[in-house]
Amino acid sequence: MKIVRTGVVSNINDMLDKLEKEYASGTISELIISNHGEFPGEFEIGGKADRLDLMSSTQIERLKKLLSPNAIIDIRMCYGIGDKNGEKVTQDLADKFKCRIRAYANQVSPFGTRPLYSYDATPGIPFYKRFFVDPAGKIFYPQK
């Protein structure tokens, strides 16, 4: 099993170039993509024009080729599925990539831990027992 963090990338093509250089076809079982998130369904990699939902068919095929048969893409961007549109966009991504997609409705950090300023949202729970990722995360499965 290979769990992959893309590292710092400037756009979608840069991410794909780095992944293709590092990993053979069909070997990525979990891909973690993180960035700041502000609006549901807008999973930006390098800017407004470089969103996962705006990937070209060529880019989609490049990514699909790298994924293992049971792969999951973990999109760690705050508020990604914060509304119905965010959930629809994420379901569309699962269908396009033919893999499971995990996304979050609230805050999540790139490392899977809650941001420091959200810790007061869990009063009475010791730090070491708090969630490592947003408990409002959801997994979307390919339907098409």
Side-chain angles (χ1 to χ4, degrees):
M1 172 195 292
K2 287 190 179 177
I3 299 174
V4 177
R5 287 182 186 269
T6 58
V8 177
V9 297
S10 57
N11 57 48
I12 289 171
N13 282 326
D14 184 34
M15 175 184 77
L16 293 169
D17 291 345
K18 288 179 179 180
L19 290 173
E20 289 169 338
K21 184 177 178 182
E22 187 77 23
Y23 301 96
S25 295
T27 61
I28 297 175
S29 57
E30 183 169 357
L31 175 63
I32 299 169
I33 301 174
S34 62
N35 197 357
H36 294 290
E38 189 174 353
F39 301 106
E42 293 188 10
F43 302 115
E44 296 177 15
I45 300 296
K48 294 282 184 198
D50 267 315
R51 295 188 346 218
L52 294 177
D53 60 310
L54 301 178
M55 288 174 67
S56 69
S57 57
T58 302
Q59 291 170 324
I60 291 167
E61 290 306 314
R62 288 176 66 192
L63 180 57
K64 284 172 44 179
K65 184 177 176 184
L66 293 165
L67 300 174
S68 69
N70 294 312
I72 185 167
I73 297 174
D74 191 348
I75 304 174
R76 294 187 180 169
M77 297 183 195
C78 296
Y79 313 113
I81 56 170
D83 65 11
K84 294 282 186 202
N85 179 60
E87 290 194 8
K88 181 190 177 315
V89 168
T90 307
Q91 182 60 59
D92 289 347
L93 291 175
D95 294 338
K96 284 180 187 179
F97 300 144
K98 305 290 187 222
C99 73
R100 297 168 296 153
I101 304 285
R102 183 184 300 123
Y104 304 89
N106 298 312
Q107 298 167 333
V108 63
S109 88
F111 305 109
T113 57
R114 298 175 111 193
L116 291 175
Y117 53 82
S118 70
Y119 282 155
D120 60 352
T122 53
I125 300 174
F127 172 76
Y128 60 90
K129 289 187 177 180
R130 293 182 181 159
F131 293 104
F132 283 103
V133 294
D134 171 18
K138 181 177 176 181
I139 297 176
F140 294 80
Y141 296 83
Q143 304 294 315
K144 299 178 186 176

